[in-house]
Every structure is written in C-alpha cells, then in structure tokens.
Amino acid sequence: MTRSSAIADSLSRVVFLIRDQPDDREAQKSAFRALLARVSEQPVLIATQNGTLAIDGEAAGPDSPGADALRRQLLSHGIGELGIPSSLTPPQLLTVLRALAAAPGTFPRLQQLADHFTVSGIDGVIIAPPLSAIAPQYTDLAPPSENATTPDPKPIGIGPDAVNEESVGLLHFVTMEMKSIGELDELLLTLEQDPNSPKTGDLLNEVLAFGEITAKKEQWQDLLRAAATLVHVEDQVTEESHRRLYSIAIRRLVGRRVLESFAQLLHVPESRNDATLVMRRMGADSTEVLMQLLIAEQDVGQRRAYFNAVTQMTDGTELLVHMLGHDEWFVVRNVAELCGEMKLEAAVPALARRMTHVDERVRRAATSALGRIGSPGTIEPLRRALQDTSALVRIQAATSLEGPRAKNLVPALARLIEEEAHPEVQREMLHALGRIGTPEATDILIGASRPGKGLFKKKPVALRVEAIEGLRLAGDQGARAALQDLQQDKSEEVSRSAGLALKSLMTARTAQPQS
C-alpha cells in the first residue's frame, strides 16, 4: 500500500467511525492511534480534484477502499483542499476530524468551518474550495456539462445498508417530504410500545422525515420531543441490529444546527430536562456546541444555563482542557470554573500553567478549580498561589485547603502567616490550618492563639481570635485542651471566644449519633 493510500485509508476509517458508529469508542481510539502514527511526523495536503483523492499530490490507489467515500465527504462540506499541519496536538486533530465527520450542511460556508477551527484554538489548517463550482450536496460530484441539469439527491433511509460507505457515500436526512408522515406522537408511541419491532426501520424513517420538515420550520420543541423519545427508547432496545438503527437515526436527527437550537431550549424550564438528556447523548459534539455558546453569550442567566449543562456532559472534556489556553481572559476564566465544577483532574496541569496568567480573575478561577479538584497534583500550584501578588488569589488558595491532602503545606502556611500583611489572608490561612487538622497544624494554631511567645510576638487580639477559630475547626484533643486554657486569658475577647469555641465543640460532639 502506498503512503497516500495508507493515509487515505486511516483517515477515512476515523472519519466514518465518528460519523456512523459514534458509540464505538474503542474502535475510534484504535483507528485514531493508527492515523496519528502516519500524520504526526509531517504535514499532509489532501485534494479532491478530478474525481480522485490525492495525498500530497499522489492519488490514493484502489487498495484504499475508503478514499472515494472520504472524497465525497470532504466535497459535501465544500472542501477541495485540506492541509493538516504536523503541529496539531492529538485533541486538535480530533476536533478537525469531528468537523469533517459532521453532517452535510453543518458548516454551510467554508468560512464557518474556518471560524470553527479558530474558536477551537486550531491554527495552520488549510481549507480551500474545489476548483469547479459544484454544489456539494449532490452525491454525483462529476462536473456538469453546460446544458446538463442536476438531479435531485436520492433520499437514503436507515436500512441495513445505510452505513455501507462504498454503496451509499453520503448519509443524510430523508430530504423528500412524504405524502403522509403520520402524527408524530403516534409514531413515537408506536416505537415506545415495541422498540424491537420489525417495522422499526420504517418508523424511524418517518420520524427522520418529520425531523427534516420540523427543522426547516424551526419547530425545535417538537423536534426535541422526538429526539428525547428516541434516546429513551434506545436504552430499552435489546437487539443489537435495532440499537444500531436507533443510534444512526439519533445522529441524523440531531445535527450541528439542531444541537445549537436544542441548547437554546436549556433556558426553557419545560424543555430543560429533555434538552440536557439529548445533549448528553450526543457527547463531545454537545460539549463543543455548549462551549462555543458559553464563550459568546453575554447574558448572565443564559451563560449560567450553558455552564450548568456543560457540567453534565460526559464527553468532550479534552476540549475544555484545550480551551484553557484560549487568548481571551474571560474564556479561560469560564473554562477554569467549569473544570472545578466538574472536578476534572485531567485539567490540573493546564490549570497550574494558568497560575501565571496576567489577569487576576483567571488566576483566582484557576486557584478555585484546583482546590475543588483536590488531587495530589494540585498541592504545588496551590502553594504558589499562596504567594500570589493578589490578596484575593491568596485568600482563594487558603480557602481551598482542607484535610490531610494539604498536610504538606502546613510549614509553608506557618511561615506565610508570619509574613502576611493582609489581615483577611492571615485569617483564611489560620482557618486553613484548622481544616487541615493535623497535629502539626494544631500546634501552630496553639502558638498563634497565645500572647507574646515564640514565633508570634505582640500578636493583635484579632489574630489570636482567628487562631481560636482555627482550633475550633481542628477540634482534636490538643485543640480542646488549648481552648480550655485560653478561657483564663487576660484578654476578655480571647477568653470569650475560647469559651464559645469550646461550647461549639461540645455541642457538636453531643449531637453525634451514638454507635
């Protein structure tokens, strides 16, 4: 097999697995690894001219059966040339491939595809239209003669041959309005009553026809109801052949434009659950749509709806990690908050790098996210955050610390409390020692709560009171003994605070259920 054929074969395999078998993650991963081995060393230029697919000027041979289907898929997006640089990271390359696998019409103009790559932080991809002005939606892509008329595209159903790339080429919605598509609710009820019916394929074709007509009329709530029903029914299917039919139907029913419209319904209370269900089913594509909407949205309420929806997605987290490198500060801040909300451990290295961001708001969001994730890898960046030039970042870092996982930061906290000039930061650091609660942390708090001894000389009463609160949070035997002694302190405020803290600990202990 020539190099061009090998690359064409690998590329077509990945694209069509993403397009036609979205749930087969293992097959996708295997094919993607094989593709990476072939394209990571040098850039690749793909051309769809003259009825052939060429890689770096060499036509893919007959030993690459997927080359022609790939050519048609590229032309369905209006792509005549595609240049893939070797500098793309694996997540970036995967984003490009997902765009290529999208349904025709997802990107009506090449500029929209280019904008999609730009928003995703991808540079260097070359896309150009075909040399001949051929309408990309037609399956017969040979240049028409001057007097020729272009035939209507043949509608293709979801029968057993629907995923045969050689015989079908393009998979798309049924594009002819049937004479009678039946009542939607009646169709959906029939599918719900018998998900494994022999007539499932015909019924799903009618739903797809309804979906096409409904999308054209922009009746998104009706279309959402249909999509949500198919997702529910898909979970009840026991026969693998039928499950495959439902999977294909859902993918065709919910294209990129439909996903964006469903995302708008997240703001509508009666539609929110169905919209969330369908978007979760669509995986990484939904995450990508939601992230782009989140970035562009100015309204706080709608942005919160997108934010909440992203936290419920299970796929596409690699896009979140990648977008932490975005140029716009507010994008990085929003994404950092999402990573914290989702406790996304894979984002820790990228979040740590954002701790040097010029904008304090980004550093604060990254610090908060690291604290919420709480994995061992977060400790070192949190240590750096405790010494940030911004008091707000230092406060955020201190409030993020708790439990034994942060025990290695106790010596640093002891030193920083002594050096810290900002009273609010000192306060949060003392409370952090209490939440960490190790014997070493308790000893430091005891020293901080006492007047004029050792490391803490001439301590303000306010500082001692905050140390007492730290002892209450620690709540171990050493903390209780220290609080009992502090009830006799010469400072009325200190003694009163110690008494209240001790009473709180005793009440909490009494309230605990007896074993």
Side-chain angles (χ1 to χ4, degrees), residues 32-72:
F32 185 66
R33 284 193 291 267
L35 176 63
L36 278 176
R38 291 192 166 107
V39 302
S40 59
E41 297 283 330
Q42 62 189 82
V44 174
L45 181 63
I46 305 164
T48 61
Q49 312 297 346
N50 303 319
T52 61
L53 186 83
I55 306 292
D56 293 335
E58 180 184 8
D63 51 350
S64 176
D68 190 58
L70 178 61
R71 179 182 67 87
R72 291 173 177 270

mmCIF file of all heavy atoms in Angstrom, residues 32-72:
data_model
loop_
_atom_site.group_PDB
_atom_site.id
_atom_site.type_symbol
_atom_site.label_atom_id
_atom_site.label_comp_id
_atom_site.label_asym_id
_atom_site.label_seq_id
_atom_site.Cartn_x
_atom_site.Cartn_y
_atom_site.Cartn_z
ATOM 1 N N PHE A 32 -7.786 6.032 15.466
ATOM 2 C CA PHE A 32 -7.143 7.340 15.631
ATOM 3 C C PHE A 32 -5.662 7.179 15.936
ATOM 4 O O PHE A 32 -4.819 7.935 15.424
ATOM 5 C CB PHE A 32 -7.845 8.113 16.746
ATOM 6 C CG PHE A 32 -7.343 9.511 16.920
ATOM 7 C CD1 PHE A 32 -7.535 10.455 15.930
ATOM 8 C CD2 PHE A 32 -6.686 9.898 18.073
ATOM 9 C CE1 PHE A 32 -7.076 11.759 16.075
ATOM 10 C CE2 PHE A 32 -6.229 11.191 18.240
ATOM 11 C CZ PHE A 32 -6.415 12.123 17.245
ATOM 12 N N ARG A 33 -5.318 6.197 16.762
ATOM 13 C CA ARG A 33 -3.891 5.954 17.060
ATOM 14 C C ARG A 33 -3.139 5.564 15.790
ATOM 15 O O ARG A 33 -2.001 5.988 15.562
ATOM 16 C CB ARG A 33 -3.758 4.868 18.126
ATOM 17 C CG ARG A 33 -4.068 5.343 19.541
ATOM 18 C CD ARG A 33 -3.614 4.323 20.570
ATOM 19 N NE ARG A 33 -4.402 3.111 20.523
ATOM 20 C CZ ARG A 33 -5.478 2.888 21.263
ATOM 21 N NH1 ARG A 33 -5.893 3.808 22.121
ATOM 22 N NH2 ARG A 33 -6.153 1.755 21.179
ATOM 23 N N ALA A 34 -3.783 4.739 14.948
ATOM 24 C CA ALA A 34 -3.142 4.343 13.691
ATOM 25 C C ALA A 34 -2.932 5.548 12.774
ATOM 26 O O ALA A 34 -1.896 5.673 12.116
ATOM 27 C CB ALA A 34 -3.994 3.279 12.989
ATOM 28 N N LEU A 35 -3.915 6.453 12.761
ATOM 29 C CA LEU A 35 -3.782 7.660 11.942
ATOM 30 C C LEU A 35 -2.660 8.553 12.472
ATOM 31 O O LEU A 35 -1.864 9.087 11.694
ATOM 32 C CB LEU A 35 -5.104 8.416 11.923
ATOM 33 C CG LEU A 35 -5.090 9.758 11.176
ATOM 34 C CD1 LEU A 35 -4.793 9.554 9.703
ATOM 35 C CD2 LEU A 35 -6.416 10.480 11.362
ATOM 36 N N LEU A 36 -2.596 8.718 13.780
ATOM 37 C CA LEU A 36 -1.552 9.557 14.378
ATOM 38 C C LEU A 36 -0.161 9.079 13.982
ATOM 39 O O LEU A 36 0.736 9.885 13.719
ATOM 40 C CB LEU A 36 -1.674 9.552 15.909
ATOM 41 C CG LEU A 36 -2.697 10.488 16.534
ATOM 42 C CD1 LEU A 36 -2.742 10.283 18.038
ATOM 43 C CD2 LEU A 36 -2.363 11.939 16.211
ATOM 44 N N ALA A 37 0.007 7.774 13.936
ATOM 45 C CA ALA A 37 1.315 7.223 13.584
ATOM 46 C C ALA A 37 1.729 7.611 12.169
ATOM 47 O O ALA A 37 2.922 7.651 11.857
ATOM 48 C CB ALA A 37 1.291 5.695 13.713
ATOM 49 N N ARG A 38 0.748 7.930 11.320
ATOM 50 C CA ARG A 38 1.055 8.230 9.916
ATOM 51 C C ARG A 38 1.146 9.725 9.628
ATOM 52 O O ARG A 38 1.767 10.127 8.659
ATOM 53 C CB ARG A 38 -0.014 7.615 9.008
ATOM 54 C CG ARG A 38 0.042 6.088 8.973
ATOM 55 C CD ARG A 38 -0.832 5.531 7.856
ATOM 56 N NE ARG A 38 -0.531 4.138 7.607
ATOM 57 C CZ ARG A 38 -1.313 3.125 7.956
ATOM 58 N NH1 ARG A 38 -2.442 3.369 8.585
ATOM 59 N NH2 ARG A 38 -0.962 1.876 7.687
ATOM 60 N N VAL A 39 0.498 10.573 10.450
ATOM 61 C CA VAL A 39 0.442 12.003 10.097
ATOM 62 C C VAL A 39 1.144 12.912 11.091
ATOM 63 O O VAL A 39 1.174 14.122 10.892
ATOM 64 C CB VAL A 39 -1.027 12.469 9.936
ATOM 65 C CG1 VAL A 39 -1.740 11.657 8.879
ATOM 66 C CG2 VAL A 39 -1.767 12.415 11.260
ATOM 67 N N SER A 40 1.679 12.368 12.186
ATOM 68 C CA SER A 40 2.281 13.230 13.203
ATOM 69 C C SER A 40 3.681 13.707 12.836
ATOM 70 O O SER A 40 4.189 14.648 13.437
ATOM 71 C CB SER A 40 2.330 12.488 14.555
ATOM 72 O OG SER A 40 3.096 11.298 14.431
ATOM 73 N N GLU A 41 4.305 13.079 11.848
ATOM 74 C CA GLU A 41 5.687 13.411 11.510
ATOM 75 C C GLU A 41 5.805 14.586 10.531
ATOM 76 O O GLU A 41 6.741 15.365 10.595
ATOM 77 C CB GLU A 41 6.378 12.185 10.887
ATOM 78 C CG GLU A 41 6.469 10.997 11.845
ATOM 79 C CD GLU A 41 7.564 11.169 12.873
ATOM 80 O OE1 GLU A 41 8.555 11.840 12.553
ATOM 81 O OE2 GLU A 41 7.413 10.637 13.990
ATOM 82 N N GLN A 42 4.834 14.730 9.608
ATOM 83 C CA GLN A 42 4.931 15.762 8.591
ATOM 84 C C GLN A 42 3.536 16.202 8.170
ATOM 85 O O GLN A 42 2.565 15.473 8.347
ATOM 86 C CB GLN A 42 5.701 15.244 7.372
ATOM 87 C CG GLN A 42 5.043 14.055 6.677
ATOM 88 C CD GLN A 42 5.962 13.454 5.632
ATOM 89 O OE1 GLN A 42 6.847 12.674 5.928
ATOM 90 N NE2 GLN A 42 5.716 13.827 4.381
ATOM 91 N N PRO A 43 3.402 17.437 7.634
ATOM 92 C CA PRO A 43 2.076 17.913 7.225
ATOM 93 C C PRO A 43 1.519 17.088 6.076
ATOM 94 O O PRO A 43 2.263 16.443 5.327
ATOM 95 C CB PRO A 43 2.343 19.365 6.808
ATOM 96 C CG PRO A 43 3.805 19.411 6.482
ATOM 97 C CD PRO A 43 4.464 18.430 7.402
ATOM 98 N N VAL A 44 0.195 17.122 5.961
ATOM 99 C CA VAL A 44 -0.492 16.352 4.918
ATOM 100 C C VAL A 44 -1.410 17.291 4.151
ATOM 101 O O VAL A 44 -2.164 18.062 4.750
ATOM 102 C CB VAL A 44 -1.318 15.201 5.539
ATOM 103 C CG1 VAL A 44 -2.135 14.492 4.463
ATOM 104 C CG2 VAL A 44 -0.405 14.222 6.252
ATOM 105 N N LEU A 45 -1.344 17.232 2.819
ATOM 106 C CA LEU A 45 -2.238 18.010 1.969
ATOM 107 C C LEU A 45 -3.140 17.051 1.205
ATOM 108 O O LEU A 45 -2.670 16.197 0.459
ATOM 109 C CB LEU A 45 -1.445 18.883 0.990
ATOM 110 C CG LEU A 45 -2.290 19.760 0.048
ATOM 111 C CD1 LEU A 45 -3.101 20.766 0.857
ATOM 112 C CD2 LEU A 45 -1.412 20.474 -0.967
ATOM 113 N N ILE A 46 -4.444 17.193 1.388
ATOM 114 C CA ILE A 46 -5.431 16.309 0.772
ATOM 115 C C ILE A 46 -6.193 17.109 -0.276
ATOM 116 O O ILE A 46 -6.676 18.204 0.002
ATOM 117 C CB ILE A 46 -6.410 15.773 1.834
ATOM 118 C CG1 ILE A 46 -5.632 15.087 2.978
ATOM 119 C CG2 ILE A 46 -7.420 14.823 1.222
ATOM 120 C CD1 ILE A 46 -6.461 14.879 4.214
ATOM 121 N N ALA A 47 -6.309 16.566 -1.484
ATOM 122 C CA ALA A 47 -7.021 17.236 -2.566
ATOM 123 C C ALA A 47 -8.100 16.322 -3.125
ATOM 124 O O ALA A 47 -7.909 15.103 -3.215
ATOM 125 C CB ALA A 47 -6.047 17.649 -3.674
ATOM 126 N N THR A 48 -9.234 16.914 -3.505
ATOM 127 C CA THR A 48 -10.368 16.126 -4.006
ATOM 128 C C THR A 48 -10.644 16.408 -5.479
ATOM 129 O O THR A 48 -11.758 16.258 -5.946
ATOM 130 C CB THR A 48 -11.632 16.460 -3.181
ATOM 131 O OG1 THR A 48 -11.928 17.868 -3.336
ATOM 132 C CG2 THR A 48 -11.438 16.153 -1.726
ATOM 133 N N GLN A 49 -9.636 16.846 -6.216
ATOM 134 C CA GLN A 49 -9.845 17.285 -7.597
ATOM 135 C C GLN A 49 -9.886 16.102 -8.574
ATOM 136 O O GLN A 49 -9.357 15.025 -8.300
ATOM 137 C CB GLN A 49 -8.723 18.250 -8.008
ATOM 138 C CG GLN A 49 -8.441 19.359 -6.993
ATOM 139 C CD GLN A 49 -9.618 20.292 -6.784
ATOM 140 O OE1 GLN A 49 -10.556 20.281 -7.563
ATOM 141 N NE2 GLN A 49 -9.578 21.095 -5.745
ATOM 142 N N ASN A 50 -10.529 16.350 -9.712
ATOM 143 C CA ASN A 50 -10.517 15.423 -10.847
ATOM 144 C C ASN A 50 -11.060 14.039 -10.511
ATOM 145 O O ASN A 50 -10.600 13.026 -11.041
ATOM 146 C CB ASN A 50 -9.092 15.290 -11.419
ATOM 147 C CG ASN A 50 -8.527 16.639 -11.829
ATOM 148 O OD1 ASN A 50 -9.243 17.465 -12.401
ATOM 149 N ND2 ASN A 50 -7.252 16.865 -11.534
ATOM 150 N N GLY A 51 -12.014 13.987 -9.599
ATOM 151 C CA GLY A 51 -12.667 12.726 -9.284
ATOM 152 C C GLY A 51 -11.831 11.749 -8.496
ATOM 153 O O GLY A 51 -12.194 10.577 -8.374
ATOM 154 N N THR A 52 -10.706 12.190 -7.948
ATOM 155 C CA THR A 52 -9.867 11.302 -7.143
ATOM 156 C C THR A 52 -9.497 12.008 -5.843
ATOM 157 O O THR A 52 -9.603 13.232 -5.712
ATOM 158 C CB THR A 52 -8.574 10.921 -7.884
ATOM 159 O OG1 THR A 52 -7.822 12.114 -8.140
ATOM 160 C CG2 THR A 52 -8.870 10.204 -9.178
ATOM 161 N N LEU A 53 -9.029 11.225 -4.900
ATOM 162 C CA LEU A 53 -8.493 11.766 -3.653
ATOM 163 C C LEU A 53 -6.975 11.639 -3.722
ATOM 164 O O LEU A 53 -6.450 10.544 -3.927
ATOM 165 C CB LEU A 53 -9.026 10.992 -2.445
ATOM 166 C CG LEU A 53 -8.618 11.583 -1.097
ATOM 167 C CD1 LEU A 53 -9.566 12.729 -0.717
ATOM 168 C CD2 LEU A 53 -8.644 10.525 0.005
ATOM 169 N N ALA A 54 -6.290 12.766 -3.564
ATOM 170 C CA ALA A 54 -4.830 12.763 -3.627
ATOM 171 C C ALA A 54 -4.255 13.217 -2.299
ATOM 172 O O ALA A 54 -4.767 14.140 -1.667
ATOM 173 C CB ALA A 54 -4.347 13.679 -4.743
ATOM 174 N N ILE A 55 -3.194 12.546 -1.883
ATOM 175 C CA ILE A 55 -2.470 12.900 -0.664
ATOM 176 C C ILE A 55 -1.098 13.395 -1.076
ATOM 177 O O ILE A 55 -0.313 12.655 -1.679
ATOM 178 C CB ILE A 55 -2.325 11.697 0.284
ATOM 179 C CG1 ILE A 55 -3.692 11.061 0.582
ATOM 180 C CG2 ILE A 55 -1.628 12.112 1.569
ATOM 181 C CD1 ILE A 55 -4.626 11.917 1.390
ATOM 182 N N ASP A 56 -0.810 14.662 -0.768
ATOM 183 C CA ASP A 56 0.471 15.281 -1.140
ATOM 184 C C ASP A 56 0.778 15.066 -2.630
ATOM 185 O O ASP A 56 1.901 14.737 -3.019
ATOM 186 C CB ASP A 56 1.603 14.726 -0.275
ATOM 187 C CG ASP A 56 1.463 15.123 1.174
ATOM 188 O OD1 ASP A 56 0.832 16.158 1.457
ATOM 189 O OD2 ASP A 56 1.986 14.399 2.045
ATOM 190 N N GLY A 57 -0.254 15.224 -3.456
ATOM 191 C CA GLY A 57 -0.089 15.137 -4.904
ATOM 192 C C GLY A 57 -0.131 13.742 -5.480
ATOM 193 O O GLY A 57 -0.108 13.573 -6.697
ATOM 194 N N GLU A 58 -0.227 12.720 -4.636
ATOM 195 C CA GLU A 58 -0.257 11.330 -5.116
ATOM 196 C C GLU A 58 -1.653 10.758 -4.924
ATOM 197 O O GLU A 58 -2.179 10.756 -3.801
ATOM 198 C CB GLU A 58 0.763 10.479 -4.350
ATOM 199 C CG GLU A 58 0.771 9.019 -4.800
ATOM 200 C CD GLU A 58 1.723 8.179 -3.942
ATOM 201 O OE1 GLU A 58 2.234 8.708 -2.933
ATOM 202 O OE2 GLU A 58 1.925 7.014 -4.282
ATOM 203 N N ALA A 59 -2.276 10.286 -5.999
ATOM 204 C CA ALA A 59 -3.635 9.762 -5.921
ATOM 205 C C ALA A 59 -3.653 8.477 -5.103
ATOM 206 O O ALA A 59 -2.777 7.617 -5.243
ATOM 207 C CB ALA A 59 -4.181 9.503 -7.322
ATOM 208 N N ALA A 60 -4.683 8.369 -4.242
ATOM 209 C CA ALA A 60 -4.864 7.125 -3.488
ATOM 210 C C ALA A 60 -5.289 6.027 -4.443
ATOM 211 O O ALA A 60 -6.169 6.229 -5.285
ATOM 212 C CB ALA A 60 -5.910 7.327 -2.401
ATOM 213 N N GLY A 61 -4.679 4.886 -4.328
ATOM 214 C CA GLY A 61 -4.928 3.790 -5.262
ATOM 215 C C GLY A 61 -6.147 2.971 -4.907
ATOM 216 O O GLY A 61 -6.829 3.216 -3.913
ATOM 217 N N PRO A 62 -6.426 1.944 -5.711
ATOM 218 C CA PRO A 62 -7.586 1.076 -5.476
ATOM 219 C C PRO A 62 -7.480 0.251 -4.200
ATOM 220 O O PRO A 62 -8.466 -0.316 -3.751
ATOM 221 C CB PRO A 62 -7.601 0.165 -6.719
ATOM 222 C CG PRO A 62 -6.184 0.182 -7.218
ATOM 223 C CD PRO A 62 -5.668 1.552 -6.915
ATOM 224 N N ASP A 63 -6.255 0.196 -3.625
ATOM 225 C CA ASP A 63 -6.104 -0.556 -2.382
ATOM 226 C C ASP A 63 -6.572 0.266 -1.172
ATOM 227 O O ASP A 63 -6.396 -0.145 -0.031
ATOM 228 C CB ASP A 63 -4.645 -0.988 -2.183
ATOM 229 C CG ASP A 63 -3.675 0.184 -2.322
ATOM 230 O OD1 ASP A 63 -4.093 1.280 -2.754
ATOM 231 O OD2 ASP A 63 -2.493 -0.020 -2.008
ATOM 232 N N SER A 64 -7.156 1.438 -1.398
ATOM 233 C CA SER A 64 -7.744 2.244 -0.328
ATOM 234 C C SER A 64 -9.236 2.381 -0.606
ATOM 235 O O SER A 64 -9.681 3.361 -1.205
ATOM 236 C CB SER A 64 -7.089 3.627 -0.260
ATOM 237 O OG SER A 64 -7.715 4.427 0.713
ATOM 238 N N PRO A 65 -10.052 1.430 -0.164
ATOM 239 C CA PRO A 65 -11.485 1.434 -0.497
ATOM 240 C C PRO A 65 -12.243 2.616 0.089
ATOM 241 O O PRO A 65 -13.312 2.972 -0.400
ATOM 242 C CB PRO A 65 -11.995 0.110 0.082
ATOM 243 C CG PRO A 65 -10.994 -0.250 1.140
ATOM 244 C CD PRO A 65 -9.671 0.260 0.656
ATOM 245 N N GLY A 66 -11.714 3.236 1.148
ATOM 246 C CA GLY A 66 -12.431 4.359 1.759
ATOM 247 C C GLY A 66 -12.104 5.694 1.145
ATOM 248 O O GLY A 66 -12.693 6.718 1.524
ATOM 249 N N ALA A 67 -11.177 5.742 0.170
ATOM 250 C CA ALA A 67 -10.724 7.019 -0.382
ATOM 251 C C ALA A 67 -11.852 7.767 -1.081
ATOM 252 O O ALA A 67 -12.011 8.979 -0.905
ATOM 253 C CB ALA A 67 -9.563 6.796 -1.340
ATOM 254 N N ASP A 68 -12.650 7.076 -1.873
ATOM 255 C CA ASP A 68 -13.693 7.769 -2.616
ATOM 256 C C ASP A 68 -14.787 8.270 -1.687
ATOM 257 O O ASP A 68 -15.315 9.371 -1.870
ATOM 258 C CB ASP A 68 -14.298 6.854 -3.675
ATOM 259 C CG ASP A 68 -15.212 7.627 -4.627
ATOM 260 O OD1 ASP A 68 -14.724 8.586 -5.263
ATOM 261 O OD2 ASP A 68 -16.391 7.294 -4.700
ATOM 262 N N ALA A 69 -15.134 7.464 -0.682
ATOM 263 C CA ALA A 69 -16.136 7.911 0.291
ATOM 264 C C ALA A 69 -15.632 9.134 1.050
ATOM 265 O O ALA A 69 -16.395 10.065 1.333
ATOM 266 C CB ALA A 69 -16.470 6.785 1.271
ATOM 267 N N LEU A 70 -14.334 9.151 1.361
ATOM 268 C CA LEU A 70 -13.755 10.306 2.041
ATOM 269 C C LEU A 70 -13.787 11.532 1.131
ATOM 270 O O LEU A 70 -14.084 12.648 1.577
ATOM 271 C CB LEU A 70 -12.324 9.996 2.472
ATOM 272 C CG LEU A 70 -11.570 11.140 3.169
ATOM 273 C CD1 LEU A 70 -12.278 11.557 4.445
ATOM 274 C CD2 LEU A 70 -10.126 10.716 3.460
ATOM 275 N N ARG A 71 -13.481 11.326 -0.159
ATOM 276 C CA ARG A 71 -13.541 12.436 -1.116
ATOM 277 C C ARG A 71 -14.940 13.042 -1.142
ATOM 278 O O ARG A 71 -15.107 14.263 -1.119
ATOM 279 C CB ARG A 71 -13.151 11.934 -2.515
ATOM 280 C CG ARG A 71 -13.196 13.006 -3.601
ATOM 281 C CD ARG A 71 -12.844 12.410 -4.955
ATOM 282 N NE ARG A 71 -13.864 11.465 -5.409
ATOM 283 C CZ ARG A 71 -14.947 11.817 -6.081
ATOM 284 N NH1 ARG A 71 -15.162 13.087 -6.385
ATOM 285 N NH2 ARG A 71 -15.820 10.898 -6.466
ATOM 286 N N ARG A 72 -15.941 12.194 -1.191
ATOM 287 C CA ARG A 72 -17.316 12.684 -1.209
ATOM 288 C C ARG A 72 -17.679 13.405 0.087
ATOM 289 O O ARG A 72 -18.401 14.405 0.078
ATOM 290 C CB ARG A 72 -18.273 11.513 -1.461
ATOM 291 C CG ARG A 72 -18.182 10.933 -2.860
ATOM 292 C CD ARG A 72 -19.022 9.666 -2.989
ATOM 293 N NE ARG A 72 -18.969 9.156 -4.360
ATOM 294 C CZ ARG A 72 -19.820 9.504 -5.316
ATOM 295 N NH1 ARG A 72 -20.785 10.372 -5.049
ATOM 296 N NH2 ARG A 72 -19.712 9.003 -6.526
#
